[in-house]
Amino acid sequence: MAQITAKVAVSRAVYSIDKPYDYRVPQELAERLRPGMRVLVPFGGGDRGSEGIVLALGGGAPRQGLKEIIAALDPEPVLSERALKLALWMRERYFCTVYDAVKAMLPAGLYYALRDCVALKPGVDREAALQAAEGSLDAQKLAELLLAWGGQGDMEQIRTAFGARDPDGAVRTLLDRGAAQRVTSAQRGIGDKKEKLAVLAMPAEEAMSRVTPRRRTAPLRYSVTELLCQLG
């Protein structure tokens, strides 16, 4: 059976390792994923979640060792084929990463903020979590924290709890021993802007007739009503 793969420009890749990375497209995304859409992918040794953009799609014989796209972040492409080519040209011209060029072309309202979490796997109870952390005081501390937080904690929360100590070793211990998993969620960095409007609930003539007798005692109300009448 042919395997669909995507070439992805990854936001966590620094310039020295910036290149299109190959990822396996899961079955649920095979029908709708297209170049120009942003995706959430695992990247690096710890498989930390990273934002990326699909540069191209292809197929062929199954390849071993390919990591799988976690999720699609856009329902439709945010960049056209021409814009993707421009991003590749900008990389060579301005010595930036492809994803830096992509972000320069997108409005800030489309940016995503990623949240890295460590969560105990389903079915891992207190006994199993502490057994997985056996032999490492830091891993035991992390297991206790995750249990106290309902089974999950984000990395910022974990680092704050560890203080000056680096929690990465404890995280790797629980991940390697199968007690925990890394979970990355994406959230729009900027929400939709909302505005409140004042609208006349009666004809302009009636509104003015009500406020005119009190023009001197309530000048602000008169001015607002007059302005709304002028604006329609």
Side-chain angles (χ1 to χ4, degrees), residues 145-223:
L145 288 171
L146 295 178
L147 290 165
W149 294 336
Q152 178 173 301
D154 63 53
M155 286 304 300
E156 183 177 347
Q157 187 180 15
I158 293 171
R159 292 188 190 283
T160 300
F162 268 70
R165 295 184 66 83
D166 187 354
D168 286 349
V171 171
R172 283 195 300 272
T173 297
L174 294 186
L175 294 179
D176 293 343
R177 295 179 181 178
Q181 58 189 346
R182 195 183 293 275
V183 180
T184 303
S185 59
Q187 185 176 11
R188 283 275 290 274
I190 299 177
D192 295 331
K193 182 179 180 181
K194 297 182 179 179
E195 293 183 349
K196 292 183 177 181
L197 300 177
V199 181
L200 286 175
M202 61 186 69
E205 295 80 3
E206 183 180 350
M208 288 304 299
S209 67
R210 292 194 180 190
V211 298
T212 299
R214 301 185 62 185
R215 181 174 182 176
R216 291 189 176 181
T217 57
L220 185 57
R221 182 182 302 176
Y222 178 87
S223 298

Side-chain angles (χ1 to χ4, degrees), residues 105-137:
M105 288 187 276
L106 294 178
L110 291 182
Y111 291 177
Y112 274 93
L114 300 184
R115 181 170 174 258
D116 281 326
C117 299
V118 177
L120 294 175
K121 287 187 175 180
V124 175
D125 58 12
R126 181 181 187 84
E127 182 180 352
L130 294 178
Q131 184 177 356
E134 192 174 355
S136 169
L137 292 178

